[in-house]
Amino acid sequence: MEGIEHRTVEVNGIKMHIAEKGKEGPVVLFLHGFPELWYSWRHQIAALGSLGYRAVAPDLRGYGDTDVPSSVNSYTIFHLVGDIVALIDSLGVDQVFLVAHDWGAIVGWYLCLFRPERVKAYVCLSVPYLPRNPKVKPVDGMRALFGDDYYICRFQELGKMEAEIAKDSSEQVIKSMLTGRTTGPLILPKERFLSHPSTKPLPSWLSQEDVSYYASKFEKTGFSGGLNFYRNLNLNWELTAAWTGAQIKVPLKFITGDSDLVYTSSGTKQYIESGGFKKDVPNLEEVVIQEGVAHFNNQEAAEDISNHIYDFIKKF
């Protein structure tokens, strides 16, 4: 954590906490996923900040030390992208190198769709571009494919998942999610977020100190902010009708693990291998599949991810 500084900036009507390292050089902006924080990028912030870049990672709206608006409707994709555009403005730059994972990756895709001139190049982890299907709302499609207990379907009802999560400690929830190695669609047990608390020892890439840091922040904020991202999936579908069929033109490198639950479900692997991904993202320059790596690859394979980021962005 040496050299990482913290401050709060005002963006889009909220106060946003950011961590940063490096005062000069091109900005590399890191966007985290669920259930995470700026802290998920601790290794990459240190690495890129030491290589002449200005590494910046916010806690997204609803997370950590950033404001947590109470209304579900305050978490649409326009709010989330609006926060990031305002953050880029606050950094005093026109463009950033974007690096994002999980829900951060989804926000990243829409940033590239709405404001491509603000992104010099994009390194995307885990979640590929999800082109809008004009015939099916996303949650409805997931429910039809995977059933009512698919995790995204279970996240929809306000308050219900919060109550299920509360049956376990924040520490147990974080530990279970970050170390889970489920492949294929994530189906949750009835009436409980965790079927049973994990008793397995932590992997080498995740310390008790790491788990405790995450847990301390979620104890403060709860999980509603992050869950509200999922609760806007169908509304986002309605709001983004004008972008149906639009391509992403930003230069891109995509990295995922071969044990990632996104890669191993929802037709993702086929989408990538069939050329559909390249068709939707014509400037996709490279796809990296990490062997034996699961969903949280920025932490599990931290050094490898840092090297991949640097090798890509140094070309620009």
Side-chain angles (χ1 to χ4, degrees), residues 51-68:
L51 288 168
Y53 293 90
R54 185 181 174 192
V56 179
D59 285 334
L60 296 181
R61 171 184 292 245
Y63 285 90
D65 294 319
T66 290
D67 284 350
V68 183

Side-chain angles (χ1 to χ4, degrees), residues 131-209:
R132 184 181 183 277
N133 180 344
K135 296 179 180 177
V136 184
K137 292 183 179 182
V139 178
D140 299 8
M142 292 170 197
R143 199 181 301 277
L145 272 176
F146 306 125
D148 290 339
D149 287 329
Y150 183 57
Y151 78 107
I152 290 175
C153 301
R154 285 277 291 279
F155 285 0
Q156 294 303 308
E157 188 179 334
L158 181 63
K160 190 165 187 219
M161 184 49 60
E162 287 89 335
E164 292 184 22
I165 287 174
K167 294 175 182 176
D168 298 288
S169 68
S170 295
E171 192 166 296
Q172 282 290 356
V173 170
I174 294 297
K175 181 180 176 182
S176 178
M177 288 202 69
L178 293 187
T179 62
R181 302 191 80 79
T182 300
T183 54
L186 179 58
I187 308 299
L188 299 182
K190 297 282 185 187
E191 302 304 323
R192 190 157 190 158
F193 184 68
L194 302 180
S195 54
H196 51 80
S198 174
T199 55
K200 293 184 297 185
L202 291 171
S204 60
W205 52 268
L206 188 70
S207 70
Q208 182 56 46
E209 184 182 5

Side-chain angles (χ1 to χ4, degrees), residues 251-270:
L252 180 89
K253 181 175 189 172
F254 180 75
I255 312 170
T256 190
D258 65 1
S259 297
D260 187 316
L261 81 170
V262 178
Y263 183 63
T264 56
S265 66
S266 307
T268 302
K269 185 177 180 183
Q270 182 184 9

Side-chain angles (χ1 to χ4, degrees), residues 102-138:
D102 189 80
W103 251 106
I106 297 173
V107 176
W109 286 118
Y110 281 104
L111 174 63
C112 293
L113 187 63
F114 299 156
R115 299 297 302 274
E117 78 283 3
R118 306 309 299 265
V119 182
K120 199 174 295 184
Y122 182 18
V123 178
C124 177
L125 310 187
S126 179
V127 180
Y129 182 51
L130 306 171
R132 184 181 183 277
N133 180 344
K135 296 179 180 177
V136 184
K137 292 183 179 182

